[in-house]
Amino acid sequence: MKSREIHNVAVIGAGTMGHGIAQVAAQAGASVILNDVSPEFIAKGLERIQANLEGGIQRGKLTAGDRDQVLSRVAGEESFETAVADVDLVIEATPEKEDLKRDLFEKLGRLTPAETILASNTSSLGVARVTDPAGRPAKCVGMHFFNPPHIMKLLEVIRTDRTSEDTLRSVDEIAERMGKQVIRVKDFPGFATSRLGVTLGVEAMRMLEEGVASAEDIDKAMELGYKHPMGPLRLTDLVGLDVRLAILEHLERELGDRFKPPEILRKAVKQGKLGKKTGEGFYSWT
Ligand SMILES: NC(=O)c1ccc[n+]([C@@H]2O[C@H](COP(=O)([O-])OP(=O)(O)OC[C@H]3O[C@@H](n4cnc5c(N)ncnc54)[C@H](O)[C@@H]3O)[C@@H](O)[C@H]2O)c1
C-alpha cells in the first residue's frame, strides 16, 4: 500500500524545538500550524523562524523568495482544537514531562481524524508510554529532532511495537523533504542518541570529579583525539545541565546504576549553574 503523503502539519509547542520543527516542515512544502499555550509564545516562535530564515539569506543558503514562501506556509493558532482538527501529522514538542504529554495525546486521540499520524519529539521518555492515551498505536511514532532543527541533519525515528510500516513510510517521506537523514530506533530508554550522548557526558563528569584533567583538556581529548566537533562537557553546557540530569535520572530508573548522575552534576544544578543559558556550567559563559 502506498503511504500517505503529508501536506498539513501541526506543531504543538513553539519553544526551542517547536519553532524550528515548524520551520523545517514548511521548508519541506507542508502547510504548518504552530500552537502554544499563549499568543506571546506563538509570536515569539514565529519571530524566531523569521530570524532563522534571515540568517539563511545572509549565509547565501536562501533567497528572499524562499523566505517569503516558507513564512506564507506557517500560521500561528491559539486554539489547540482548531490547530489539530484537519492535519495529516501532529508533532508534539512540549516540555519533557510525561503527564503533560500523555494528557495531550489523549486529547489528540479525540480531536484529530483517525488517519492523522501523531508524533512526539521526546528526547528520552518512552514513546508508547507517552502516546498510548491517543488509542491509535499504529499511527504513533517518535520523531526526535536535534537542536537547532533547521541546521541539524539527523532525525531519530522511534518505532514502538505497534507503529505501522505505513506510518514509518510517511515519516520517511516527509523527513526526506525536510532534508533529514533518518535513523530508526526501537522504543528503548534513551533511544540511540540520548543514551550514547549522556554516556560520554557522564564519564567526562566523573573524570572531572576525580581530578583526571581540567574540563578544557577533557573536551580537547575528544575534539582533537576523536574529531568530535565539541567536547562532552561543553556540549552539556549547551544542552543544559538540568536537561542532562533529567535524562540521567530517567535512564538510571530504567537501565540501572551505570547512568547514576554524578554528584558534580547534581551540585551544579542545585546551585543554578545550568550551563550557557544561566551563564555558568562546566564553563563560564559571561
Ligand atoms: N532542547 C533541546 O535541545 C531538545 C532536543 C531534542 C528534543 N527535545 C525535546 O523536545 C521537547 C521540547 O523541548 P524544548 O527544549 O523545545 O522545550 P521548551 O520549553 O523550549 O518549549 C516547550 C514549549 O511548549 C509549550 N507548551 C507547554 N505546554 C503546552 C501545551 N499544553 N500545549 C501547547 N504548548 C505547550 C511551552 O509554552 C513552550 O513554549 C521536549 O520533549 C524535549 O525533551 C529538546
Side-chain angles (χ1 to χ4, degrees), residues 12-13 15-17 36-37 93-96 101 121 123 144-145 147:
I12 309 303
T16 307
M17 296 304 291
D36 204 300
V37 287
T94 63
E96 192 76 337
K101 289 185 194 283
N121 183 49
S123 34
H144 184 201
F145 289 83
N147 188 8

Side-chain angles (χ1 to χ4, degrees), residues 169-189:
R169 275 196 297 273
S170 292
V171 169
D172 280 353
E173 191 270 327
I174 191 159
E176 195 181 331
R177 282 196 275 141
M178 289 172 170
K180 301 296 176 206
Q181 304 256 349
V182 168
I183 58 167
R184 280 197 189 170
V185 181
K186 278 194 191 164
D187 190 14
F188 212 83

Side-chain angles (χ1 to χ4, degrees), residues 54 80 102 180 182:
E54 300 298 345
F80 180 81
R102 281 177 62 84
K180 301 296 176 206
V182 168

Side-chain angles (χ1 to χ4, degrees), residues 11-19 21 35-38 41-42 48 80 92-97 100-101 103-104 107 120-125 143-148 238-239 243 247:
V11 179
I12 309 303
T16 307
M17 296 304 291
H19 81 275
I21 295 170
N35 168 264
D36 204 300
V37 287
S38 80
F41 289 138
I42 296 172
R48 290 170 87 178
F80 180 81
E92 168 277 315
T94 63
E96 192 76 337
K97 293 183 182 147
L100 167 70
K101 289 185 194 283
D103 185 43
L104 282 174
K107 283 198 213 149
S120 175
N121 183 49
T122 177
S123 34
S124 63
L125 301 173
M143 288 177 77
H144 184 201
F145 289 83
F146 290 78
N147 188 8
L238 289 193
V239 170
V243 175
I247 294 174

Side-chain angles (χ1 to χ4, degrees), residues 9-214:
V9 177
V11 179
I12 309 303
T16 307
M17 296 304 291
H19 81 275
I21 295 170
Q23 177 182 336
V24 294
Q27 285 176 313
S31 293
V32 183
I33 301 174
L34 185 58
N35 168 264
D36 204 300
V37 287
S38 80
E40 295 80 50
F41 289 138
I42 296 172
K44 183 93 192 28
L46 294 172
E47 272 168 34
R48 290 170 87 178
I49 294 175
Q50 170 124 23
N52 291 343
L53 293 167
E54 300 298 345
I57 294 173
Q58 275 161 24
R59 292 195 307 277
K61 304 261 181 203
L62 298 172
T63 64
D66 296 332
R67 173 199 58 203
D68 295 345
Q69 279 211 350
V70 171
L71 289 175
S72 74
R73 285 199 283 266
V74 188
E77 174 55 62
E78 284 171 60
S79 155
F80 180 81
E81 193 166 344
T82 308
V84 304
D86 187 23
V87 290
D88 306 309
L89 168 68
V90 178
I91 305 175
E92 168 277 315
T94 63
E96 192 76 337
K97 293 183 182 147
E98 192 175 280
D99 291 348
L100 167 70
K101 289 185 194 283
R102 281 177 62 84
D103 185 43
L104 282 174
F105 276 92
E106 188 275 325
K107 283 198 213 149
L108 287 171
R110 283 189 282 115
L111 300 173
T112 59
E115 61 277 12
T116 299
I117 295 173
L118 305 176
S120 175
N121 183 49
T122 177
S123 34
S124 63
L125 301 173
V127 172
R129 171 87 191 134
V130 160
T131 59
D132 268 356
R136 189 186 301 171
K139 295 280 179 191
C140 289
V141 66
M143 288 177 77
H144 184 201
F145 289 83
F146 290 78
N147 188 8
H150 68 290
I151 305 277
M152 299 295 278
K153 289 275 171 237
L154 181 64
L155 179 68
E156 185 173 39
V157 174
I158 298 107
R159 66 181 307 172
T160 74
D161 289 346
R162 293 190 288 169
T163 308
S164 72
E165 283 301 326
D166 210 33
T167 297
L168 292 169
R169 275 196 297 273
S170 292
V171 169
D172 280 353
E173 191 270 327
I174 191 159
E176 195 181 331
R177 282 196 275 141
M178 289 172 170
K180 301 296 176 206
Q181 304 256 349
V182 168
I183 58 167
R184 280 197 189 170
V185 181
K186 278 194 191 164
D187 190 14
F188 212 83
F191 318 132
T193 50
S194 299
R195 188 164 158 185
L196 280 176
V198 300
T199 297
L200 201 57
V202 87
E203 209 48 47
M205 290 174 217
R206 288 189 191 119
M207 285 163 66
L208 191 62
E209 214 162 43
E210 290 159 7
V212 174
S214 66

